[in-house]
Amino acid sequence: MQKIIKGPAYVLGDNIDTDQIIPAEHLVYSLSDPEESKKYGRFAFSGVPPAKAGLPDGGIPFIEGDDYRSKYNIIIGGSNFGCGSSREHAPFALKMAGVQVVVAESYARIFYRNSVDGGFIIPLESVGKINDRIKTGDLVQIDLANQTLTRLSDGQQFSLKHPGDVLPIIEAGGLFAYARKSGMIG
Amino acid sequence: MAMTITEKILAKAAGKKEVSPGQNLWLNVDVLMTHDVCGPPTFQIWKREFGEKARIWDKNKLVIFPDHYIFTSDVHANRNVNILRKFAKDYQLPNYYDVGSERYKGVCHIALAEEGFNLPGTVLIGTDSHTCTAGAFGLFATGVGNTDAAFILGTGKIWEKVPESMKFIFEGSVPQYLTAKDLILQILGDITTDGATYRAMEFDGEAVRSLNIDERMTLTNMAVEAGGMNGIIAADEVTRTYLAERTSKPFEEFQSDPDANYHSVYEYDVGKIEPLVAKPHSPDNRDTVRNVRGAKLTKCYIGSCTGGKFTDFKNAAMILKGKEVRVPTFIIPASPSVAKRLQTETIDGKTIEEILADAGCTIAPPSCAACLGGPADTVGRSVDHDVVISTTNRNFPGRMGSKKAEVYLASPLTVAASAVTGVITDPREFL
């Protein structure tokens, strides 16, 4: 697992539900077909109302035009990130768009599980709220071993929480890899 | 050691004498349920990970219901149903309920109940967040994604962290103008959409005991709207009677110990609760119907796993009897069995279906329909700046289709009363 992840941040508010991450009408595409699955990247965060897309100012598209990759690889969210449906298409869509890490104040359970068990993205919790202190486009660096997020423009550091018991699954890259490593499955 | 009902069921499923909150367990799964949106990617992950040797751990425990996007011309959606069909045929699955056949059962969570899969004391996992509905039968039920489901498909196991439990006690006798929807909206307003994250929500009290299975499922269905891992109501005579008509499988009932530990306990007197709504755009944005009455509507919607059960339509019919709706009103029964009962059960000599049709409602075939928007040709889907009042469970931006639409969540009584006037209306005006 990559220990240092750096890139521009895309900032969102509280209660970003799975319909905002990937609207239900798009759940029909194949997740395994290499071409068709790019559509998940294309429509990632397309359900976020424009005024709340890319805080603090809003109006910043996560995906530009018909592209399926975003220039933002780090998402900063508030509380209850990923609430709503159980669709694993949500963390998958973020992965397809090039997201590596989401840092949020808290997560809804199923989104968190899906992110970790599917090995799509790394969901980290901030200590307290930070989505009002980072701006969309800020260059940030995440140190996974030391659980910190640093804003590179001024060196301001924010603490992240240790992932606890799920760390071995994150490090293995997902539930199946973990179960193989630990001898649960062949 | 004193344990809650959720802890006791998890201990049994993990083969342990006792468990406590925070502990990570591998559970043996009794039922795995999936549908047309998440089934195909689940099967794909299962094949990819287990390869040539992929075996379904127990065919009798796998239950598949196409229900989400089934009455549509969307080619991708139809392809998903074809994948389910082929998978069921290839592996000769006994519990596949194909759309377009006599076996079709409608919305998965209601179909699970009607087909007798919800057995007290068991662990039921589904690829849908509202899988928590089944907890109304005194079992542990929760939703997962495709990877977890694929893992279960091959091994019969899932890891879970034992949740802390929250207890919600409703005392008193439920007034005619209230339904279980009002009770759960009360809780959501109190604890918000992440107030129960990673926790069990246990419902009890005289008022809960007086609810039939339909109403109990409305409570447990929306546990996930508070972030809950599961919602649960211990089995009693109501549960046993419902099950006796549907299954002969044995089951074990569990009860919370009187001295079990809870994260928190909430007590309510139902006589003091009035009809409630969740205003746009969150299920915890609670207000009284009285405070928002008069808000102009463009659509009314009665349907889904939480609001499309027989009792929901019976409640709506009590108000719509002999009246006409002023705005387009959609009736989507959760299952063919519910639809059939609407054709046979009567109020004052008229069937419920006749009452709803005579009032000018549009009655559509059973499915998830516009509860989650769906493909563009989905019946009842919100468009543009629609203002909708709905018995469904979510009103996040865009949930019912249009991102610009405003959705109010309310009980079937409140939706029916509002349909008659065209503006949000307190059902007490008609009762």
Side-chain angles (χ1 to χ4, degrees), chain A residues 69 107 181:
Chain A
R69 298 288 281 185
Y107 292 90
K181 222 166 129 183

Side-chain angles (χ1 to χ4, degrees), chain A residues 15 17 19 24-25 28 30-32 36 46 80 84-86 88 107 109-110 113-114 117 165 176 180, chain B residues 24 41 44 49 69 76 79 127-128 142-143 145-148 158-160 193 197 372 381 394 399 403:
Chain A
N15 296 312
D17 74 287
D19 275 290
E25 66 204 78
V28 294
S30 166
L31 293 122
S32 51
E36 196 176 318
S46 64
N80 206 22
S85 85
S86 69
E88 192 162 302
Y107 292 90
R109 166 183 162 271
I110 308 178
R113 278 189 83 101
N114 288 344
D117 284 352
D165 291 341
F176 280 96
R180 264 188 210 100
Chain B
N24 271 310
Q44 185 265 323
E49 295 294 336
Y69 304 156
H76 292 110
R79 181 183 60 185
T127 60
D128 190 287
T142 192
N146 312 330
T147 300
D148 282 327
I158 185 169
W159 69 269
E160 282 292 357
T193 50
T197 298
L372 73 164
R381 195 177 195 276
R394 291 195 177 123
R399 167 74 179 181
K403 259 194 275 186

Side-chain angles (χ1 to χ4, degrees), chain B residues 150-305:
Chain B
F151 194 84
I152 296 169
L153 196 57
T155 66
K157 289 183 189 299
I158 185 169
W159 69 269
E160 282 292 357
K161 187 183 280 193
V162 179
E164 288 186 293
S165 290
M166 299 171 83
K167 193 164 193 166
F168 301 89
I169 302 168
F170 289 93
E171 295 295 0
S173 83
V174 185
Q176 198 195 7
Y177 53 82
L178 281 193
T179 72
K181 179 68 81 183
D182 300 291
L183 307 188
I184 192 69
L185 290 178
Q186 174 71 37
I187 293 175
L188 278 159
D190 288 346
I191 70 171
T192 79
T193 50
D194 59 357
T197 298
Y198 252 102
R199 300 202 188 105
M201 296 175 75
E202 188 178 322
F203 305 96
D204 207 349
E206 184 192 355
V208 172
R209 294 286 147 213
S210 75
L211 299 176
N212 66 18
I213 285 289
D214 278 358
E215 287 284 89
R216 291 182 186 193
M217 288 197 285
T218 299
L219 277 183
T220 50
N221 176 280
M222 289 182 70
V224 72
E225 262 50 78
M229 183 189 282
N230 66 313
I232 194 160
I233 299 170
D236 59 13
E237 202 47 44
V238 173
T239 327
R240 281 170 225 134
T241 305
Y242 184 96
L243 284 169
E245 293 166 7
R246 290 163 176 86
T247 180
S248 53
K249 289 180 205 153
F251 54 83
E252 187 179 359
E253 292 178 24
F254 291 92
Q255 303 271 348
S256 291
D257 292 322
D259 53 343
N261 278 320
Y262 288 91
H263 166 273
S264 46
V265 178
Y266 290 77
E267 291 181 57
Y268 298 96
D269 173 354
V270 287
K272 290 184 180 154
I273 298 174
E274 56 177 308
L276 299 170
V277 292
K279 297 183 286 188
H281 293 282
S282 181
D284 63 359
N285 195 11
R286 180 192 70 203
D287 208 337
T288 59
V289 175
R290 207 160 34 87
N291 278 346
V292 295
R293 71 178 176 192
K296 211 169 170 334
L297 299 164
T298 61
K299 242 175 216 165
C300 297
Y301 189 98
I302 306 178
S304 83
C305 51

Side-chain angles (χ1 to χ4, degrees), chain B residues 17-142:
Chain B
K17 271 199 168 149
E18 53 183 46
V19 299
S20 47
Q23 204 176 339
N24 271 310
L25 303 174
W26 284 98
L27 306 174
N28 291 311
V29 175
D30 295 297
V31 171
L32 173 66
M33 185 281 295
T34 189
H35 51 49
D36 54 298
V37 172
C38 296
T42 296
F43 305 148
Q44 185 265 323
I45 295 169
W46 172 75
K47 280 183 181 162
R48 184 190 74 203
E49 295 294 336
F50 291 101
E52 292 291 298
K53 292 180 190 158
R55 294 276 177 281
I56 296 172
W57 103 103
D58 188 337
K59 285 182 192 177
N60 291 312
K61 294 179 176 177
L62 174 63
V63 187
I64 306 173
F65 299 107
D67 61 355
H68 275 59
Y69 304 156
I70 50 177
F71 303 122
T72 171
S73 59
D74 186 292
V75 290
H76 292 110
N78 290 328
R79 181 183 60 185
N80 274 341
V81 177
N82 284 331
I83 293 172
L84 294 186
R85 206 167 270 151
K86 183 170 184 310
F87 190 82
K89 194 170 170 229
D90 289 353
Y91 293 91
Q92 301 188 336
L93 301 179
N95 306 317
Y96 175 61
Y97 298 93
D98 203 1
V99 59
S101 81
E102 292 210 340
R103 283 174 63 78
Y104 177 61
K105 300 297 177 197
V107 179
C108 58
H109 309 298
I110 302 311
L112 278 173
E114 289 175 347
E115 295 308 302
F117 287 105
N118 294 349
L119 297 174
T122 59
V123 169
L124 185 151
I125 308 288
T127 60
D128 190 287
S129 61
H130 292 112
T131 303
C132 52
T133 310
F137 290 77
L139 57 93
F140 177 84
T142 192

Side-chain angles (χ1 to χ4, degrees), chain B residues 366-427:
Chain B
S367 85
C368 298
C371 171
L372 73 164
D377 55 356
T378 303
V379 63
R381 195 177 195 276
S382 72
V383 292
D384 298 329
H385 289 88
D386 258 343
V387 182
V388 188
I389 191 162
S390 173
T391 63
T392 51
N393 39 35
R394 291 195 177 123
N395 59 347
F396 298 122
R399 167 74 179 181
M400 292 190 77
S402 168
K403 259 194 275 186
K404 299 174 204 152
E406 299 201 329
V407 178
Y408 291 80
L409 306 178
S411 80
L413 293 172
T414 302
V415 173
S418 306
V420 172
T421 58
V423 297
I424 294 181
T425 302
D426 194 312

